[in-house]
Amino acid sequence: HSVDTSKKFIRMSNNRIPKNLKKTVFTYHSDAKMTKFSGQICASFNKIPNICPDFIYVDGPSFMHVKGSIKGVHTRHLDRTIISSDLLEIESFLLPGTLILWDGLTSYARFVEKNFKRKWIFKHLKSGDITIAEQVEEALGVYNKKQIKFCLGRD
């Protein structure tokens, strides 16, 4: 599942998907807007897929595609970085063992780290300019425990 603000990028991505994977890869177009989360100005997609991901790769929304402003603040400027509230809004639905990877976007990752409510481990890897986070609460039950073992291994 992939969400993007650019219809052009979605078309390009869909054209690169091998035929044998076309029925298992889903792309979604959504606008993004300026909003607030806990009184803090940020961005948010207008819609996201109703799924329960075990891995989330974050590289957007594009700062130039976010619509609107709050008190005159917007992201459509080269000096801005993107910070979004989408992960914070769905945190309660994410299962133990969920992994998140931010490709660059360190300020976005730091914003999420400071605002998540549940138990997560964050690691910033400067050499690759990525940040990773893992949801480390105890498994919810036997099926979640099997999922964690399958995805992450015994340790």
Side-chain angles (χ1 to χ4, degrees):
H1 297 268
S2 177
V3 180
D4 204 286
T5 55
S6 169
K7 290 179 181 179
K8 178 183 175 182
F9 183 77
I10 290 171
R11 276 192 306 277
M12 288 172 42
S13 298
N14 284 339
N15 289 335
R16 294 177 181 169
I17 299 168
K19 284 187 177 189
N20 63 328
L21 297 178
K22 291 269 187 194
K23 292 184 179 180
T24 60
V25 176
F26 304 94
T27 55
Y28 307 87
H29 175 261
S30 176
D31 289 330
K33 66 181 180 301
M34 294 301 295
T35 189
K36 283 188 175 185
F37 183 85
S38 294
Q40 300 171 91
I41 297 172
C42 58
S44 179
F45 281 111
N46 290 350
K47 59 183 177 180
I48 55 176
N50 187 26
I51 60 171
C52 188
D54 55 11
F55 176 72
I56 303 169
Y57 177 86
V58 181
D59 71 345
S62 169
F63 68 101
M64 294 302 275
H65 293 175
V66 178
K67 297 177 179 182
S69 66
I70 304 283
K71 294 186 171 187
V73 175
H74 60 80
T75 62
R76 296 174 311 281
H77 190 283
L78 293 177
D79 289 342
R80 287 282 184 219
T81 182
I82 195 68
I83 296 172
S84 180
S85 62
D86 298 297
L87 295 171
L88 299 168
E89 294 167 357
I90 66 166
E91 180 192 13
S92 58
F93 292 103
L94 299 177
L95 301 177
T98 300
L99 293 175
I100 304 171
L101 184 148
W102 288 265
D103 188 352
L105 305 176
T106 304
S107 59
Y108 182 173
R110 289 177 181 171
F111 178 74
V112 170
E113 181 178 14
K114 299 296 181 209
N115 286 281
F116 264 170
K117 303 288 187 214
R118 296 169 62 200
K119 189 174 179 184
W120 293 80
I121 294 175
F122 278 76
K123 179 73 175 167
H124 179 69
L125 306 170
K126 291 180 186 178
S127 63
D129 191 23
I130 63 171
T131 304
I132 55 174
E134 178 185 352
Q135 211 301 323
V136 294
E137 291 177 342
E138 186 177 333
L140 298 176
V142 64
Y143 296 113
N144 182 223
K145 191 172 188 171
K146 287 180 180 183
Q147 178 185 9
I148 292 169
K149 184 178 174 183
F150 174 77
C151 293
L152 303 175
R154 292 177 188 262
D155 297 329

